[in-house]
Amino acid sequence: MYKVDKDGIVEKFVYQLPILRAVLDMSQDDVGEIVGLSRQTYSSIETGKRKMTWSNFMALLFFFYFNPSTKETVENAGVFPDELKEAMRTDLRKSVKEDV
């Protein structure tokens, strides 16, 4: 099993949220609505008043990583480590095999 420093990458990612959102010229409400968070919850996460859950991290990570305008910033920030990518690929392969 791959070891990922969840707390460490979540902390780094929180720091990047305002930057990523600014690149896309989106409000907190816009981003929250897309990933299923209220503006209040998203704002609390972005300002560090609320701890980001792993589920929220993954939703926001995918949103920003798969957007061509912010993918490079996510890569450079080190918030989507190779260990996590590999763990996801492994789980995906298992899921595909089970469906066949």
Side-chain angles (χ1 to χ4, degrees):
M1 184 67 189
Y2 296 93
K3 297 289 182 189
V4 176
D5 176 15
K6 290 181 179 180
D7 291 337
I9 60 175
V10 166
E11 187 177 316
K12 281 189 212 175
F13 192 51
V14 167
Y15 179 77
Q16 295 296 318
L17 289 176
I19 298 163
L20 294 163
R21 193 170 50 78
V23 168
L24 298 178
D25 193 27
M26 295 180 79
S27 69
Q28 292 176 335
D29 191 44
D30 294 337
V31 174
E33 187 175 322
I34 289 169
V35 298
L37 299 172
S38 70
R39 186 207 54 80
Q40 293 85 357
T41 298
Y42 180 85
S43 175
S44 294
I45 290 169
E46 191 176 279
T47 59
K49 293 178 183 170
R50 172 182 269 184
K51 185 175 177 172
M52 184 185 311
T53 66
W54 189 248
S55 297
N56 291 341
F57 167 79
M58 294 300 290
L60 289 163
L61 176 67
F62 287 167
F63 172 68
F64 288 116
Y65 183 77
F66 289 106
N67 186 305
S69 298
T70 51
K71 181 177 181 172
E72 185 176 345
T73 303
V74 171
E75 285 282 350
N76 291 338
V79 296
F80 198 3
D82 292 338
E83 296 85 0
L84 180 56
K85 290 177 191 172
E86 184 58 32
M88 293 175 63
R89 279 193 285 273
T90 301
D91 287 346
L92 181 58
R93 286 191 298 265
K94 288 178 187 174
S95 175
V96 169
K97 286 180 183 176
E98 290 171 3
D99 289 342
V100 174

